[in-house]
Structure formats: C-alpha cells, structure tokens
C-alpha cells in the first residue's frame, strides 16, 4: 500500500508541479543506482524537483536523506516522510561513536538505489551555499567507484524556504 501511495505522490504531485518549471540537463541523471545526487538545499520543494528528473519507473529507487529530528518529530509527518516521500532518516542530534548516522544511506546504496543528499545538512538561505558537511565524503569513501553527481538548484528558496 505504501509503495502505491508513494507512486501516487510522485506522479500526482512531484512530476506535474516541477515539469512545468525548466529542468536543465535531465539527460545527465543516472538511469539506475547505486549513485548519489548531491544538491544544495534551500526549500522543501527541492526534493520534488529532483524526483521529477527521473522517469516514473525509477521513482521508488530514489531515496532522499533527511533529518530524523525534523521529519520524525510527530506521527503524521513521520508517516508522510517515510511512506510518501521515502526519506532515509539521518540522525543529526543523538550521534555517538557507537552509531553511524549514515547507516540508512549505506543501506540504500548497497541496495543499488539512488540517494539524494543535501550536504549542507539543513535548508540554507535562498541562493547561498552553506558550509558542507562531511557525509558525502564518508559515503563515497565506503562505496568506492560510486557515481556522485553534483546538482545546483536555483530559485526554490523563495518558496517553502527556511522559516
């Protein structure tokens, strides 16, 4: 059921909304994983745009990494984020030497899927790149030879941006 709802979300909202905007160089996106898409992050709309880069048949193979403390903070948001958007929760607050906050990301890549990573760790100010965290380096080091594709998103920070 959740796969059906997720496909409905992607095909009914993400594709139509974002394909009306200009999307450049869609042909450069990998057709299959494992791969990491690394994008700047200014809006909750960023993931909709990135999902629209893929054909419908790939929608369930694309998994965005997202902050567990933000997206799992209540039951409804948690259900929506996990079941509809298909996030991979990343723990930003309760990190210790014994836990790997990127464990879910490693699993997604091991399954041959495409991981979307926002290396700034949070939404930044519109049209400004914030400091980049080391997560993408750790993932690329452990999964040697994996395709890492940088993507620059522009203009989305004015809608559903921080605050």
């Amino acid at each position: 059921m959740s796969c059906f709802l997720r496909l409905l979300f992607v095909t009914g909202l993400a594709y139509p909304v974002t394909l009306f905007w200009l999307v450049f160089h869609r042909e450069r996106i990998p057709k299959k994983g494992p791969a990491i898409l690394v994008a700047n992050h200014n809006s909750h709309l960023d993931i909709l745009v990135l999902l629209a880069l893929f054909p419908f048949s790939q929608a369930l193979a694309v998994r965005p990494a997202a902050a567990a403390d933000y997206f799992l903070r209540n039951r409804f948001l948690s259900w929506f984020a996990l079941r509809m958007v298909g996030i991979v929760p990343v723990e930003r607050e309760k990190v210790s030497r014994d836990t790997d906050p990127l464990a879910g990301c490693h699993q997604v890549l091991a399954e041959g899927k495409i991981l979307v990573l926002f290396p700034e760790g949070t939404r930044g100010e519109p049209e400004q790149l914030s400091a980049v965290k080391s997560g993408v380096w750790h993932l690329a080091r452990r999964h040697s030879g994996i395709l890492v594709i940088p993507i620059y998103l522009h203009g989305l920070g004015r809608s559903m941006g921080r605050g």
Side-chain angles (χ1 to χ4, degrees):
M1 178 65 161
S2 65
C3 286
F4 171 75
L5 290 174
R6 186 158 178 240
L7 275 175
L8 188 61
F9 169 74
V10 172
T11 59
L13 182 66
Y15 278 66
V17 168
T18 56
L19 288 179
F20 286 110
W21 276 285
L22 297 177
V23 176
F24 298 102
H25 300 295
R26 189 175 179 191
E27 73 280 358
R28 295 181 184 175
I29 300 301
K31 302 295 183 238
K32 62 181 182 170
I36 304 172
L37 297 185
V38 181
N40 59 310
H41 194 25
N42 294 137
S43 169
H44 283 306
L45 296 175
D46 294 342
I47 193 57
L48 296 179
V49 170
L50 294 172
L51 284 171
L53 295 174
F54 295 90
F56 292 133
S57 62
Q58 289 285 131
L60 295 178
V62 179
R63 304 285 308 278
D69 56 285
Y70 185 89
F71 286 99
L72 304 183
R73 68 179 182 228
N74 68 54
R75 289 176 67 179
F76 174 74
L77 185 57
S78 178
W79 177 86
F80 184 80
L82 292 168
R83 303 281 189 247
M84 300 297 283
V85 182
I87 72 161
V88 178
V90 175
E91 188 59 58
R92 300 186 298 184
E93 295 182 348
K94 301 172 190 166
V95 179
S96 72
R97 290 183 180 265
D98 300 329
T99 61
D100 181 358
L102 299 174
C105 297
H106 291 298
Q107 181 64 35
V108 164
L109 295 172
E111 292 170 359
K113 295 182 179 172
I114 297 170
L115 178 70
V116 174
L117 190 67
F118 300 109
E120 296 163 284
T122 189
R123 288 173 291 152
E125 295 301 318
E127 314 317 327
Q128 293 181 18
L129 187 63
S130 300
V132 174
K133 310 277 189 235
S134 61
V136 69
W137 179 82
H138 289 286
L139 290 165
R141 184 182 70 160
R142 183 163 160 189
H143 302 271
S144 62
I146 197 164
L147 189 59
V148 178
I149 301 152
I151 296 178
Y152 179 69
L153 300 169
H154 181 77
L156 295 169
R158 295 184 193 124
S159 298
M160 295 183 75
R162 191 173 194 156

